[in-house]
């Protein structure tokens, strides 16, 4: 009979214990006490955190459904459900996960369409993401930021000239339905095709067909591979629409806070630059109101909850230009707000206007008059201003706003049909041609160098004796002419302010092109006074030394 020594027993126990890999499950479990309208109430979750992810298990199908903690009441927890909320019934099991809600992020998401949970919905297979980020993240403090100093070129003359956007800025696009808000945002994304900016388009409450059309447009213009589309369509639940913008911000923050290899950015490893479009935050506010009312939170003005301002402010504060010590990355936000009959004094519009660094206001009247983009330069503003422009652009647009303001004032006055002096007629004619120059079709971005030269030509009165309908042809033809015949002169405007020698060379080139243009597109009439209501012609030179307009139609 074999004797078993205590040493052998101890060594055997050590071997067995070493093979045990069990971990302690710290999840807290409870049951659903009430579920309705996508809201679940759970009793007994003493350790649940605000914003924590909860895991629900259906007792009938075994399907797992996730939820987000919203209310921490004295007796129970209120959570909103994502996915198949109908699968969860009263009495089903609920467990805490121990982590605040996060989503997968990374370079693998570029070119893909995902839902707010980071799951692909474009049918192109799974996304192999190596990183995760929380959907809610504290915005950087003042010492971690630096002033906005680099432009984001949209390619739209009316915006880049008078409402410039800089990297790290939050610029609101606001206007009524069907005034071209999304068109401006998509054009801005398309114009980043040759830049180092990553683009994120967040569709909140849009039709699925609209999102598909936008994806196709981005693919056709070669910018889809550097864009992530986050889609929570109108068919999605209110909680999904609520977290969609925050998911888009989280994806953008990954590129801002990390370098090209996914490592934390620092002074030696620069962070990325991101443009995020939230289309639109009005629908997110409606979704949050729906959630809050079903959670029995008290309604405030227009039935929105009291923290609706905080919802948008903590989202938009995440847009910034980081300091050089943190890699100098940036996240630029273009939130979109839809107004009702131009009412910018409503609750949500005034909230977001006060949060952002300026607004691009689109007016229905301008849109229906054919002014595309329908930017009202009178009340549109950028609080960053010239810091988001190259020096030459800042130089040539110095009086552009004043010229257009004088034009609008005189335009209203001229409708009375009274006799107009020469200066007023010049301002009407000049202003009408400048407004015509600002018109642009979809996906016809102008390089910033061509924008500067076009505004220079307008400022030097080269446009004033061209038929109105030919002004955009002249602008686009001038851009092509400068590319082909004066590439060095064209590029010189990027080097700083336009000096006297450069200005003289530009005038000569523009005059030469204008001669060729008028030979090909002769004027049918000279519209010195463009206002048809006045039907006046200029008979004397205006004050200020401008050349007389002779009305010969050459």
């Amino acid at each position: 009979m074999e004797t078993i020594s205590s040493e052998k027993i101890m060594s055997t126990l050590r071997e067995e214990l070493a093979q045990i890999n069990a971990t302690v499950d710290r999840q807290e479990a409870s049951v659903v006490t009430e579920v309705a309208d996508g809201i679940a109430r759970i009793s007994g979750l003493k350790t649940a955190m605000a914003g924590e992810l909860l895991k629900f298990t259906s007792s009938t199908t075994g399907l797992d459904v996730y939820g987000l903690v919203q209310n921490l009441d004295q007796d129970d927890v209120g959570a909103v459900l994502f996915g198949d909320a109908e699968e969860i019934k009263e009495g089903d099991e609920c467990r805490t996960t121990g982590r605040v809600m996060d989503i997968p992020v990374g370079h693998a998401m570029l070119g893909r369409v995902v839902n707010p949970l980071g799951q692909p919905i474009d049918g192109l297979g799974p996304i192999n993401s190596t990183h995760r980020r929380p959907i809610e993240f504290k915005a950087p403090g003042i010492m971690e930021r630096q002033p906005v100093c680099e432009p984001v070129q949209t390619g739209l003359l009316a915006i880049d000239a008078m409402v410039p956007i800089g990297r790290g800025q939050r610029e609101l696009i606001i206007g009524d339905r069907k005034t071209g808000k999304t068109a401006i945002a998509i054009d801005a994304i398309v114009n980043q095709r040759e830049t180092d900016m990553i683009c994120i388009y967040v569709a909140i409450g849009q039709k699925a067909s609209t999102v598909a059309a936008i994806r196709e447009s981005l693919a056709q213009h070669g910018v889809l591979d550097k864009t992530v589309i986050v889609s929570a369509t109108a068919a999605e639940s209110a909680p999904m629409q609520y977290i969609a913008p925050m998911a888009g911000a989280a994806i953008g923050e990954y590129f801002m806070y990390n370098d090209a290899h996914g490592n934390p950015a620092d002074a030696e490893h620069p962070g990325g630059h991101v443009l995020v479009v939230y289309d639109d935050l009005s629908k997110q506010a409606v979704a949050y109101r729906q959630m809050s009312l079903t959670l029995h939170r008290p309604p405030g003005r227009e039935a929105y909850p009291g923290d609706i301002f905080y919802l948008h402010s903590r989202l938009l504060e995440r847009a910034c230009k980081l300091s050089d010590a943190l890699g100098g990355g940036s996240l630029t936000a273009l939130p979109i707000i839809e107004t009702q009959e131009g009412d910018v004094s409503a609750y949500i519009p005034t909230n977001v206007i006060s949060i952002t660094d300026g607004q691009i206001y689109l007016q229905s009247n301008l849109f229906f008059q054919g002014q595309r983009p329908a930017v009202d330069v009178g009340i549109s503003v950028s609080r960053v201003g010239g810091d988001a422009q190259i020096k030459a652009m800042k130089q040539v647009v110095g009086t552009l706003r004043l010229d257009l303001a004088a034009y609008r004032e005189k335009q209203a006055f001229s409708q009375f049909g009274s006799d107009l002096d020469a200066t007023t007629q010049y301002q009407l004619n000049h202003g009408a041609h400048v407004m015509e120059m600002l018109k642009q079709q979809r996906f016809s971005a102008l390089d910033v160098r061509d924008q500067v030269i076009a505004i220079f030509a307008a400022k030097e009165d080269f446009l004033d004796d061209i038929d109105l309908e030919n002004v955009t042809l002249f602008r686009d033809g001038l851009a092509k002419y400068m590319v082909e015949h004066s590439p060095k002169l064209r590029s010189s405007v990027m080097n700083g302010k336009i000096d006297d020698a450069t200005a003289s060379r530009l005038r000569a080139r523009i005059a030469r092109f204008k001669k060729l243009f008028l030979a090909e597109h002769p004027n049918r009439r000279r519209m010195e006074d463009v206002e048809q209501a006045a039907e006046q012609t200029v008979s004397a030179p205006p004050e200020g030394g401008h050349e007389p307009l002779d009305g010969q139609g050459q």
Side-chain angles (χ1 to χ4, degrees), residues 407-420 424-425 428 529-536:
Y407 166 66
R408 286 194 304 273
E409 182 183 0
K410 302 296 191 297
Q411 187 184 32
F413 179 74
S414 70
Q415 291 175 354
F416 293 105
S418 58
D419 291 337
L420 304 175
T424 302
Q425 291 173 340
L428 282 168
D529 179 10
V530 184
E531 287 302 311
Q532 295 180 1
E535 295 182 354
Q536 302 276 338

Side-chain angles (χ1 to χ4, degrees), residues 15 44 48 78 155 262 285 291 466 496 500:
E15 291 174 4
M291 274 174 42
I466 293 175
D500 292 341

Side-chain angles (χ1 to χ4, degrees), residues 348-482:
I348 301 304
T350 51
N351 275 356
V352 184
I353 285 172
S354 65
I355 295 166
T356 50
D357 304 313
Q359 66 272 354
I360 298 168
Y361 180 59
L362 305 182
Q363 210 173 35
S364 300
N365 291 342
L366 290 173
F367 187 85
F368 295 137
Q369 289 168 12
Q371 190 73 31
R372 314 283 171 82
V375 178
D376 186 337
V377 296
I379 66 173
S380 298
V381 65
S382 170
R383 298 187 182 96
V384 173
D387 290 341
Q389 290 176 316
I390 63 173
K391 291 181 180 179
M393 176 68 84
K394 188 177 179 180
Q395 177 187 1
V396 297
V397 300
T399 61
L400 194 59
R401 271 183 177 274
L402 294 176
D403 292 344
L404 292 177
Y407 166 66
R408 286 194 304 273
E409 182 183 0
K410 302 296 191 297
Q411 187 184 32
F413 179 74
S414 70
Q415 291 175 354
F416 293 105
S418 58
D419 291 337
L420 304 175
D421 62 273
T423 302
T424 302
Q425 291 173 340
Y426 165 75
Q427 288 175 331
L428 282 168
N429 182 58
H430 182 71
H433 282 79
V434 171
M435 288 294 288
E436 191 71 19
M437 180 191 67
L438 297 178
K439 291 183 180 180
Q440 272 178 269
Q441 298 296 320
R442 291 292 308 275
F443 308 119
S444 58
L446 275 175
D447 187 277
V448 64
R449 293 166 290 190
D450 300 323
Q451 292 183 23
V452 171
I453 294 172
I455 297 171
F456 180 85
K459 191 176 179 181
E460 296 290 327
D461 296 343
F462 281 102
L463 304 182
D464 291 0
D465 55 350
I466 293 175
D467 283 346
L468 268 182
E469 60 265 29
N470 290 337
V471 169
T472 53
L473 278 176
F474 180 88
R475 180 199 66 202
D476 296 339
L478 176 61
K480 186 177 179 182
Y481 177 83
M482 295 299 290

